[in-house]
Each structure stands twice: as structure tokens, then as C-alpha cells.
């Protein structure tokens, strides 16, 4: 699996988790300990992805220099919802922008 594809999969995991968590939240018999450990793992993943994308914003030459602060703010405020957009525009489509 390519690095880009792996990053893309990791990027959408927090969104998929949020949607599945909301769906299974009110189900009786949910295993609380299991859900807590998965929840903690997704939180750590989301924080690691945010850090990765924040560093990438300032190192990636495809991001216009006048929009780097904007992207950094969006990534901090929008986090898991903005990361897939950034991934699509500046990482996945790398060859098309070069």
C-alpha cells in the first residue's frame, strides 16, 4: 500500500469513528471498556494527524504561502473535518499540481 493511500485511510478513520460512535451510542449492551479503548485510540490518532498536517502545511511547497496561516487555523479548528479536504487538495493530487 502506498504512503499516500495509507495516510488517506488514516485521515478518514476519525470521521468514520464519529459516525459509527453516534450510531452505536444508544445500543444496549455496548461494551463500555472496549469503546473507551477504541475512543482513546482514535483521539490519539486524531491528534497525531493534526500535528502531521500542521507541519505539512508549512513544509509543503504546493500550499500557497499566503494561505498557510489560513490552512493552519482551519486544521486546528476543523480538525478531522478539514483534514480530508487538505489531503485531497495538497497531498493526493500532488502530481496534478506539480
Amino acid at each position: 500500500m502506498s504512503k499516500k493511500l495509507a495516510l488517506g485511510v488514516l485521515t478518514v478513520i476519525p470521521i468514520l469513528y464519529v459516525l459509527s460512535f453516534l450510531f452505536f451510542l444508544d445500543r444496549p449492551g455496548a461494551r463500555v471498556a472496549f469503546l473507551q479503548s477504541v475512543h482513546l485510540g482514535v483521539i490519539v490518532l486524531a491528534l497525531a494527524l493534526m500535528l502531521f498536517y500542521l507541519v505539512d502545511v508549512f513544509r509543503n511547497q504546493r500550499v500557497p504561502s499566503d494561505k498557510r496561516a489560513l490552512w493552519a487555523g482551519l486544521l486546528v479548528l476543523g480538525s478531522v473535518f478539514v483534514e480530508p479536504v487538505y489531503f485531497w487538495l495538497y497531498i493526493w493530487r500532488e502530481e496534478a499540481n506539480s
Side-chain angles (χ1 to χ4, degrees), residues 23-58:
F23 179 74
F24 289 110
L25 186 63
D26 62 345
R27 301 286 182 239
R31 298 181 181 171
V32 176
F34 174 74
L35 288 177
Q36 287 175 341
S37 61
V38 172
H39 195 74
L40 179 62
V42 172
I43 289 171
V44 169
L45 174 64
L47 290 173
L49 284 169
M50 184 189 308
L51 180 62
F52 169 81
Y53 282 115
L54 285 173
V55 169
D56 191 70
V57 163
F58 293 102

Side-chain angles (χ1 to χ4, degrees), residues 64-82:
S65 59
D66 61 328
K67 295 193 190 248
R68 291 178 186 209
L70 172 66
W71 274 110
L74 287 172
L75 286 166
V76 169
L77 296 175
S79 185
V80 298
F81 301 107
V82 176

